[in-house]
Amino acid sequence: MALYGLAVCGGKSLRMGSDKSQLQYFGIPQADRVLNILSPICDDVFLSCNSMQSAVFKNHKILADLPEYEDIGPMAALLSAFKTYPNADFLIAGCDYPYITTEVFQDFLSSVPKQSVAAAFYNADGKYEPFLAWYAKEAAPLLFDRFKNNHYSLQHFLREVNAEKYIPKSEKVMLSVDTPEVYEQVKAALNVDNEI
C-alpha cells in the first residue's frame, strides 16, 4: 500500500497575517521542513495548497485544492488528495507545528492498528489534531459522502469513525503556531534550546 505524505499549507492564515508555510524556525520555510520530515517515511510527498498559492510553490510537487472543494476548509486538502490518488493512504502534517519530527511520526505510524480507517494525534482537551493524522484509502468514500451531505469537519469525521488516538510523549509537538505572538515565543524558545 502506497503511503503519501501531505504537507498542508492551504489555510488562509488570517490570525497570523502572513503565510504560515513560509515562516522559518530552522533556517528554511516551514513548508520545506515538513516535506523533509515526511520524506523518509513516505513513498512520495506533496505540498497541499490552495489555488492562490500554486505560484509560490512552483518548484515543488504540489497538490492544489481541486475547484469543486475550494472554500470548504481543511477537508479540501484531503478530498483533493484522495480524488487524485485514490489508492494511497495519506499521512498529513500541517505546516503550523514547529516541534514535529520524523521520529514522532514514525512512532505514531507504528502505533496504528492495521485495520484502522484513520488515526490522529489527540490532545489534552479531548480533541483530535486532523492535520497530524493518517487516513487510510478506506476513509475516502466516507469523506466523499460527508462532502455530499455538506459535513466538512474533519474533527467530526475522526470522532464518528472512532479514529485511533495517539498521545505523543511530549504535548509540545501538537503546539500550533497561529499568531505572530506565538511565533515569536517559539522562535525564542528554539534559540534557547539550540544554544544549550
Side-chain angles (χ1 to χ4, degrees):
M1 180 59 60
L3 175 64
Y4 288 169
L6 206 57
V8 182
C9 29
K12 294 190 167 79
S13 301
L14 296 177
R15 284 181 290 169
M16 177 60 72
S18 62
D19 190 338
K20 290 186 281 188
S21 69
Q22 297 305 299
L23 297 178
Q24 294 191 19
Y25 303 94
F26 300 92
I28 60 170
Q30 186 67 359
D32 292 302
R33 182 170 175 269
V34 173
L35 287 174
N36 292 343
I37 287 167
L38 295 174
S39 290
I41 48 178
C42 295
D43 298 301
D44 208 347
V45 292
F46 303 89
L47 269 175
S48 168
C49 62
N50 59 47
S51 55
M52 305 280 284
Q53 292 171 304
S54 296
V56 176
F57 297 123
K58 59 181 180 285
N59 296 324
H60 294 77
K61 203 183 264 188
I62 64 167
L63 252 173
D65 293 345
L66 296 171
E68 59 264 44
Y69 306 126
E70 283 181 349
D71 299 320
I72 64 163
M75 191 186 270
L78 204 46
L79 293 178
S80 299
F82 277 129
K83 187 88 174 266
T84 309
Y85 297 102
N87 294 314
D89 295 346
F90 281 92
L91 180 61
I92 310 285
C95 285
D96 38 1
Y97 300 97
Y99 290 104
I100 200 72
T101 64
T102 301
E103 293 71 27
V104 171
F105 272 126
Q106 286 170 323
D107 189 56
F108 166 58
L109 289 173
S110 69
S111 76
V112 179
K114 294 260 185 286
Q115 70 281 8
S116 302
V117 171
F121 287 55
Y122 196 72
N123 66 38
D125 296 331
K127 288 188 174 174
Y128 288 103
E129 296 285 341
F131 277 168
L132 290 175
W134 167 86
Y135 298 87
K137 73 182 179 83
E138 290 78 13
L142 305 174
L143 288 161
F144 288 122
D145 277 349
R146 289 183 64 80
F147 171 72
K148 282 182 203 149
N149 292 307
N150 300 316
H151 299 303
Y152 306 139
S153 169
L154 288 175
Q155 184 71 230
H156 290 164
F157 169 75
L158 291 167
R159 288 187 186 286
E160 281 179 18
V161 299
N162 195 24
E164 296 295 325
K165 301 174 178 76
Y166 174 73
I167 300 170
K169 294 178 180 76
S170 169
E171 269 223 357
K172 197 156 68 166
V173 300
M174 293 186 284
L175 174 71
S176 175
V177 174
D178 298 313
T179 66
E181 295 75 28
V182 175
Y183 173 57
E184 292 303 331
Q185 289 165 11
V186 169
K187 268 203 342 184
L190 286 168
N191 282 338
V192 169
D193 290 346
N194 290 335
E195 287 168 10
I196 295 170

